[in-house]
Amino acid sequence: YLFTYMDASSERPSMAEILDDYWQLLPRYQGVSVEQLDFKRVLYGMFPTYRASPIQSTFSRILQVGDSSGIQSPLSFGGFGSLTRHLLRINNALLEALEGDLLSAADLRLINAYQPNLSACWMFQRAMSVPVGRDPDGELVIGTLSNSFSAMERLGDEVMRPFLQDVLQFGPLLQTLLLAAVQDPLTPFKIVPHVGVQA
């Protein structure tokens, strides 16, 4: 599969152009020509994510859930996984809101409150994106990913699993960043100019 992270800037390639790139790159990914592949189906789409998320309720008695709520991670392509991780919490909060007739927009905003782990996910997403007008530095992105995953693998399942489930925790995140910096001390100096200070 092929994936990309990008914003909705009009200067970005269109979805059709990205699919065309996929077909051109597919033989390199698969190690065979396109003619040798037996296609069963083509799945293609995009997952919009919202940096200012979760999206807050603006109307009384209406609560967004799943992708429409913005409870999603830019790392795991959409909100289904995030929804399932938050389902019990949302269910219990919604039951309390219904029982207490707390259904105003202000009350419902408390159900989908700010989640700091999503901000951390955006930092990683930004590191894997190419700003408009810049040429991609594939080695920076691949090197950062390899270094980060190597650090998490060395730190064990209790660090790797939460990250893969978009459950970013301060302790494991700090351990990963410190070990990644030890493995490649220049990483911060490479990433900060790429991400920018306003990330």
Side-chain angles (χ1 to χ4, degrees):
Y1 64 91
L2 171 76
F3 69 91
T4 185
Y5 294 102
M6 63 181 177
D7 56 30
S9 170
S10 61
E11 298 173 53
R12 297 281 185 202
S14 70
M15 298 300 288
E17 290 170 317
I18 292 172
L19 184 59
D20 286 344
D21 287 345
Y22 175 75
W23 290 120
Q24 290 176 9
L25 296 169
L26 188 61
R28 197 169 5 156
Y29 291 148
Q30 296 296 319
V32 296
S33 70
V34 173
E35 293 76 25
Q36 293 175 286
L37 297 173
D38 180 23
F39 292 97
K40 303 295 181 194
R41 64 182 172 177
V42 175
L43 280 168
Y44 185 72
M46 68 173 203
F47 297 93
T49 57
Y50 306 93
R51 184 169 184 165
S53 65
I55 297 170
Q56 298 297 303
S57 296
T58 53
F59 302 103
S60 295
R61 308 183 81 74
I62 297 177
L63 176 71
Q64 299 99 310
V65 294
D67 288 342
S68 67
S69 70
I71 297 179
Q72 87 287 62
S73 166
L75 296 180
S76 63
F77 312 111
F80 180 75
S82 291
L83 173 63
T84 57
R85 283 188 294 282
H86 292 278
L87 198 54
L88 182 61
R89 179 188 62 79
I90 291 171
N91 183 61
N92 291 339
L94 192 53
L95 283 173
E96 286 183 26
L98 289 168
E99 289 168 358
D101 196 30
L102 301 169
L103 303 173
S104 70
D107 293 328
L108 295 176
R109 282 187 202 115
L110 298 174
I111 293 175
N112 286 338
Y114 172 73
Q115 297 173 41
N117 66 315
L118 289 180
S119 293
C121 288
W122 277 103
M123 177 185 69
F124 287 108
Q125 184 270 347
R126 185 90 177 256
M128 293 184 283
S129 300
V130 177
V132 172
R134 282 204 207 153
D135 289 328
D137 181 354
E139 288 305 312
L140 173 67
V141 174
I142 298 298
T144 301
L145 282 172
S146 295
N147 187 23
S148 299
F149 276 93
S150 169
M152 286 186 285
E153 186 173 26
R154 286 179 62 189
L155 291 166
D157 198 45
E158 62 277 358
V159 171
M160 179 76 85
R161 184 179 301 274
F163 180 81
L164 294 175
Q165 295 174 336
D166 297 324
V167 181
L168 296 185
Q169 302 162 338
F170 179 75
L173 178 60
L174 182 61
Q175 288 177 312
T176 301
L177 293 174
L178 290 174
L179 183 54
V182 168
Q183 292 176 165
D184 181 4
L186 296 179
T187 294
F189 300 102
K190 297 175 196 171
I191 290 295
V192 170
H194 177 75
V195 172
V197 293
Q198 294 181 342

